[in-house]
Amino acid sequence: MSHEEFPTDRPAVVTCGLPYANGDLHIGHLRGYTAADALHRSIEKLGQQSAYVCGSDMHGTPIAVNAAQEGVSPEAFATRYHEQYAETFPKFNVEFDNYGHTHDETNTEITREFVERLEAEGYVYEDEIMVAWDPQEDQPLPDRYVEGTCPYCGEQARGDECDEGCGRHLEPGEIEDPVSTLTGNAAEYREREHKYFAVSELADYLSEFLDRLEGTSNAKNQPREWIEEGLQDWCITRDMDWGIDYPGEDDLVLYVWVDAPIEYVSSTKQYSERVGADEYDWEEVWGRDGGDGGEIVHVIGRDIIQHHTIFWPAMLHATGHAEPRAVCATGFVTIDGKGLSTSRNRAIWAEEYLDEGFHPDLLRYYLTTMGGFQQDLDFTWERFQERVNGELVGTVGNFVYRSMLFAARNFDGTPDAEVSDDVREHIDAAVGQFREAVKEYDVRNAGDAAVELAQFGNEYIQQHEPWQLEDGSDEQAQVIRDCLQVATAVAVLIEPICPEKAETVWDQLNVDGDVHAAETDAVDAEPGAFDEPDELFEKIEDDRVDELDAALEEKIEDATADEEDEDETDEEDTEMDESELEPLIDDRIDFDTFEGLDIRVGRIESAEGIDGADKLARLEVDIGVETRQIVAGIKQLHDLDEIEGKKVIVLANLEQAELFGVESNGMVLAAGEQADLLTTHEDAEPGTKVR
Ligand SMILES: [Zn+2]
């Protein structure tokens, strides 16, 4: 089954992953919000009714942990960031039709209703499970209160997420070698009663749903693998105070990922209530009226694909709601080729960008058109300058300004002439390209349609040289009339990405109506009389870029130095820190402890991937005395055929573990993110002890 093409006669809703009310916004966050804003505006340009809604995510352990550190209530802590976000987004022309938060009354009420429906439909059961427990504080350790080893890939992980390894959601009790983040103590596991959502029963539905789902390919392919591996039921309660109470239970709150996506529904309801259901009907969009629902489009970061393609559609389906039409998952943002790190200040903060005096539409343009939606996007000030000076100043700004200046001086605005067929055809082709791109959720290509049309305009005016023609002549009027229509069309098509700049062009051209509300047929709207225009964009000079680069570098150095001064780093932000070296461990071990490690030279006899595991390989390693089966996280990083016969270094007396049902009996030592395998330089035979 495929979806009906946009525009349909049902309302659409575009959402963006909720910002977590836990810190300042930076350009890494803005990528998603600007892309979703542009997508929403683009969909409306096709004549599709649409609302763009979002809200702050106020619950969960990181907020509770940070609020406790600050000595304020979680609500006060989260509200502070919520208010800051609500103020910041419009500064980047990210205009939500409604911006709520997960702790407000609407969301609390609708979340309870979802849970009650899940219960009524028989999808909720109770189970005794082992939860991590801090023996010193005598309290449970939900989610971020515990860290340890991912049972799937062996990487360091947080209680509910393998954020540095395979990216999986982790259920309570799954993490190995749990350590309390409250006290640093080894955590115990204790039995507690919790509520489970029987997601596994919905595996068949979810497979079919994924076949229908539109959006980016990563949002379809990853969940298919998870379903093939076998879905686990989902623990939806936590031993905590902060959150939405589980209906009828005093000491349990709902897991933050239950009420977070429900905010999409709640925020839509708030919008609907404000404008009236006649104008926008939230019950129709979410299928609460018994119908098929509207066009639900989720824009998210690629780290929350599982939540939006497994848990969320399962919840919607089980409660009788409509399902998402599309999930579009963006890549991350890097700075100068390195991971963004808020703790190391390797970030460009939203406020910082604005303080530099740059127009928000420039950043919007960069973030939405720089690379493919799914790919990671690198930000450098040089490339920012290049894109602004090249495409915005050189192509769009230059064309619009020279056409309008000439028109104002020679015709007091738009000359009296019909637009030529050739130019109409070019405009229509650009509209076609735009519409096709939007149907593919391809914001970058939609933006290209506008820039390429401006490029055509530049070539057109260059070819026809109106300044060589007799002033006021019909020939001259014709060329200028054509150019002004192209400028009008450029304004319409670039509006989703550069809304404020589009409005400036529209106003300067003196076209009737509102460019934001205009649909693509407005490319034919007639410009009127006007005076000499102002330049649309300003060139960024080289020395400005040098300054910005120097300031960024200094900032990163300062932050790194600060960090080294501290005895220990507290709450570490681990957002893609791979480029940085880990600090040395201060605690020394004695020689006996080292002697306790039985490290041997080994030779890889065979290597094969483990089905269903993205990263894991099963190795047979000859360590002289015997041959060991060892599971190693190297599947994606090495050509498994090529490493057979290679000598490696093995920690032989590591306790046995089972990974993906495969027993692992030792560890092959490897360096860094790329798992560079350690080996010997000379001819030490397998079994030789390393000391
Ligand atoms: Zn993992």
Side-chain angles (χ1 to χ4, degrees):
M1 183 190 129
S2 64
H3 292 271
E4 201 185 327
E5 272 199 1
F6 290 120
T8 71
D9 53 11
R10 294 185 295 273
V13 63
V14 177
T15 75
C16 194
L18 309 187
Y20 194 61
N22 192 29
D24 296 334
L25 294 174
H26 52 65
I27 63 168
H29 299 113
L30 288 172
R31 181 183 187 188
Y33 300 104
T34 54
D37 184 81
L39 183 60
H40 161 69
R41 291 173 188 267
S42 302
I43 286 175
E44 282 191 324
K45 289 250 165 306
L46 302 191
Q48 170 74 45
Q49 187 190 20
S50 177
Y52 182 32
V53 304
C54 195
S56 304
D57 185 357
M58 307 270 282
H59 296 139
T61 51
I63 285 170
V65 170
N66 290 346
Q69 272 173 8
E70 252 188 39
V72 297
S73 72
E75 182 166 4
F77 181 89
T79 302
R80 190 173 78 216
Y81 283 108
H82 166 69
E83 285 168 357
Q84 183 191 318
Y85 299 167
E87 243 174 63
T88 304
F89 286 127
K91 292 181 187 167
F92 287 88
N93 298 321
V94 171
E95 287 178 4
F96 296 113
D97 289 305
N98 193 73
Y99 191 77
H101 65 72
T102 57
H103 197 64
D104 66 26
E105 240 173 72
T106 317
N107 196 55
T108 304
E109 192 182 301
I110 294 186
T111 298
R112 290 216 177 101
E113 185 206 297
F114 260 78
V115 174
E116 281 158 7
R117 280 204 207 180
L118 282 180
E119 281 196 335
E121 296 295 327
Y123 283 106
V124 178
Y125 63 92
E126 278 188 357
D127 202 6
E128 295 276 339
I129 57 156
M130 304 302 278
V131 302
W133 198 280
D134 189 311
Q136 185 184 332
E137 297 287 314
D138 193 30
Q139 72 161 77
L141 298 167
D143 307 328
R144 301 276 169 112
Y145 284 108
V146 64
E147 290 178 354
T149 309
C150 173
Y152 298 99
C153 71
E155 290 292 322
Q156 176 75 15
R158 290 168 168 172
D160 61 340
E161 183 196 9
C162 179
D163 57 337
E164 289 182 48
C166 62
R168 275 184 182 73
H169 164 82
L170 300 178
E171 284 290 300
E174 273 199 306
I175 201 160
E176 293 171 351
D177 312 319
V179 173
S180 164
T181 58
L182 290 176
T183 59
N185 293 333
E188 299 170 356
Y189 274 120
R190 288 197 192 170
E191 205 166 58
R192 300 279 290 176
E193 194 154 279
H194 277 274
K195 307 280 186 183
Y196 273 77
F197 170 30
V199 179
S200 59
E201 287 178 28
L202 293 160
D204 289 344
Y205 161 72
L206 289 168
S207 294
E208 292 161 20
F209 158 72
L210 288 170
D211 289 342
R212 291 187 288 268
L213 185 67
E214 297 182 345
T216 50
S217 60
N218 54 354
K220 291 168 73 89
N221 296 338
Q222 286 188 10
R224 280 207 183 98
E225 276 182 35
W226 293 321
I227 293 173
E228 274 169 31
E229 285 170 19
L231 290 179
Q232 278 187 322
D233 289 343
W234 191 38
C235 181
I236 54 170
T237 48
R238 293 292 186 269
D239 295 293
M240 266 177 83
D241 297 330
W242 178 237
I244 295 180
D245 292 339
Y246 190 92
E249 299 281 340
D250 292 341
D251 54 351
L252 292 179
V253 297
L254 284 158
Y255 178 45
V256 58
W257 271 107
V258 176
D259 59 89
I262 293 174
E263 170 63 14
Y264 300 143
V265 180
S266 309
S267 195
T268 315
K269 180 184 183 198
Q270 288 169 342
Y271 172 59
S272 195
E273 284 179 343
R274 211 173 54 246
V275 298
D278 288 348
E279 183 167 333
Y280 188 89
D281 187 353
W282 73 287
E283 304 220 82
E284 186 185 352
V285 175
W286 294 99
R288 295 168 65 96
D289 58 356
D292 294 337
E295 317 300 349
I296 300 164
V297 178
H298 296 306
V299 176
I300 57 169
R302 67 169 154 85
D303 52 334
I304 50 175
I305 288 175
Q306 192 170 7
H307 307 88
H308 285 80
T309 56
I310 301 284
F311 299 142
W312 177 230
M315 268 205 285
L316 287 169
H317 183 73
T319 52
H321 286 87
E323 67 186 24
R325 169 174 176 147
V327 173
C328 306
T330 70
F332 293 133
V333 173
T334 57
I335 307 271
D336 290 332
K338 292 179 182 170
L340 217 149
S341 165
T342 53
S343 62
R344 293 193 173 84
N345 220 351
R346 185 192 298 287
I348 294 171
W349 302 97
E351 286 299 331
E352 203 173 41
Y353 172 87
L354 294 171
D355 287 346
E356 292 294 345
F358 292 120
H359 195 280
D361 285 0
L362 308 185
L363 185 63
R364 287 176 66 100
Y365 181 74
Y366 188 95
L367 292 176
T368 51
T369 64
M370 185 64 207
F373 206 83
Q374 297 185 46
Q375 269 73 54
D376 287 351
L377 179 157
D378 191 41
F379 184 91
T380 71
W381 285 113
E382 279 86 5
R383 219 170 294 128
F384 178 72
Q385 174 200 35
E386 204 177 286
R387 304 288 313 275
V388 169
N389 290 358
E391 288 141 50
L392 294 181
V393 177
T395 302
V396 178
N398 180 40
F399 164 67
V400 170
Y401 181 71
R402 70 203 288 206
S403 309
M404 289 186 64
L405 189 64
F406 201 91
R409 286 182 179 167
N410 292 280
F411 298 95
D412 296 323
T414 309
D416 193 15
E418 289 292 315
V419 178
S420 66
D421 290 344
D422 176 38
V423 165
R424 279 236 182 273
E425 271 170 34
H426 268 92
I427 292 173
D428 289 347
V431 170
Q433 183 186 339
F434 176 90
R435 295 183 76 94
E436 284 313 305
V438 178
K439 286 171 187 173
E440 301 285 320
Y441 309 91
D442 186 346
V443 181
R444 174 170 63 155
N445 213 349
D448 284 349
V451 175
E452 284 164 19
L453 184 61
Q455 181 59 34
F456 160 75
N458 268 324
E459 285 159 15
Y460 189 84
I461 198 168
Q462 205 59 43
Q463 241 169 35
H464 291 83
E465 299 182 306
W467 46 88
Q468 301 283 15
L469 301 171
E470 190 191 328
D471 278 343
S473 65
D474 286 355
E475 290 85 353
Q476 196 183 48
Q478 180 65 57
V479 175
I480 293 304
R481 179 71 190 83
D482 283 343
C483 288
L484 295 178
Q485 201 60 50
V486 172
T488 306
V490 168
V492 172
L493 298 183
I494 209 165
E495 189 274 341
I497 289 176
C498 300
E500 210 174 317
K501 292 294 182 183
E503 189 179 313
T504 304
V505 176
W506 195 256
D507 290 348
Q508 287 189 356
L509 282 166
N510 194 14
V511 193
D512 281 345
D514 173 4
V515 72
H516 306 301
E519 296 173 12
T520 51
D521 58 6
V523 295
D524 295 330
E526 274 195 41
F530 52 82
D531 301 328
E532 288 190 14
D534 297 323
E535 296 249 26
L536 195 56
F537 298 102
E538 206 179 308
K539 202 174 159 206
I540 302 173
E541 301 297 338
D542 289 348
D543 51 0
R544 191 74 213 287
V545 172
D546 293 342
E547 276 169 33
L548 290 161
D549 270 342
L552 178 63
E553 211 159 290
E554 194 180 330
K555 199 174 76 165
I556 294 168
E557 271 170 21
D558 284 355
T560 312
D562 286 352
E563 197 174 64
E564 280 162 3
D565 288 344
E566 288 170 21
D567 286 331
E568 53 183 49
T569 54
D570 39 3
E571 175 72 7
E572 180 72 7
D573 192 318
T574 49
E575 241 174 313
M576 302 179 66
D577 268 351
E578 65 240 9
S579 60
E580 301 285 340
L581 286 176
E582 290 172 32
L584 290 170
I585 297 172
D586 284 339
D587 284 345
R588 299 292 178 125
I589 59 168
D590 56 26
F591 188 69
D592 282 351
T593 309
F594 174 72
E595 278 282 280
L597 303 175
D598 191 357
I599 305 176
R600 303 290 180 128
V601 175
R603 182 184 285 117
I604 298 176
E605 300 288 306
S606 70
E608 59 183 29
I610 295 176
D611 285 345
D614 301 345
K615 293 186 171 178
L616 300 181
R618 192 183 71 85
L619 310 178
E620 292 283 342
V621 185
D622 174 9
I623 55 164
V625 203
E626 59 191 42
T627 298
R628 292 282 187 85
Q629 171 171 294
I630 298 176
V631 175
I634 58 170
K635 186 166 150 185
Q636 292 168 334
L637 301 167
H638 295 277
D639 184 338
L640 296 184
D641 291 337
E642 271 187 13
I643 62 170
E644 284 179 15
K646 288 253 152 63
K647 275 200 289 187
V648 287
I649 305 301
V650 175
L651 177 58
N653 64 334
L654 185 69
E655 63 183 0
Q656 294 188 5
E658 203 181 273
L659 295 152
F660 269 82
V662 180
E663 191 185 280
S664 183
N665 199 359
M667 179 191 272
V668 172
L669 301 186
E673 295 289 324
Q674 298 304 310
D676 193 353
L677 293 168
L678 267 59
T679 187
T680 63
H681 277 294
E682 308 291 341
D683 46 10
E685 285 297 316
T688 310
K689 195 155 164 41
V690 177
R691 46 169 68 93

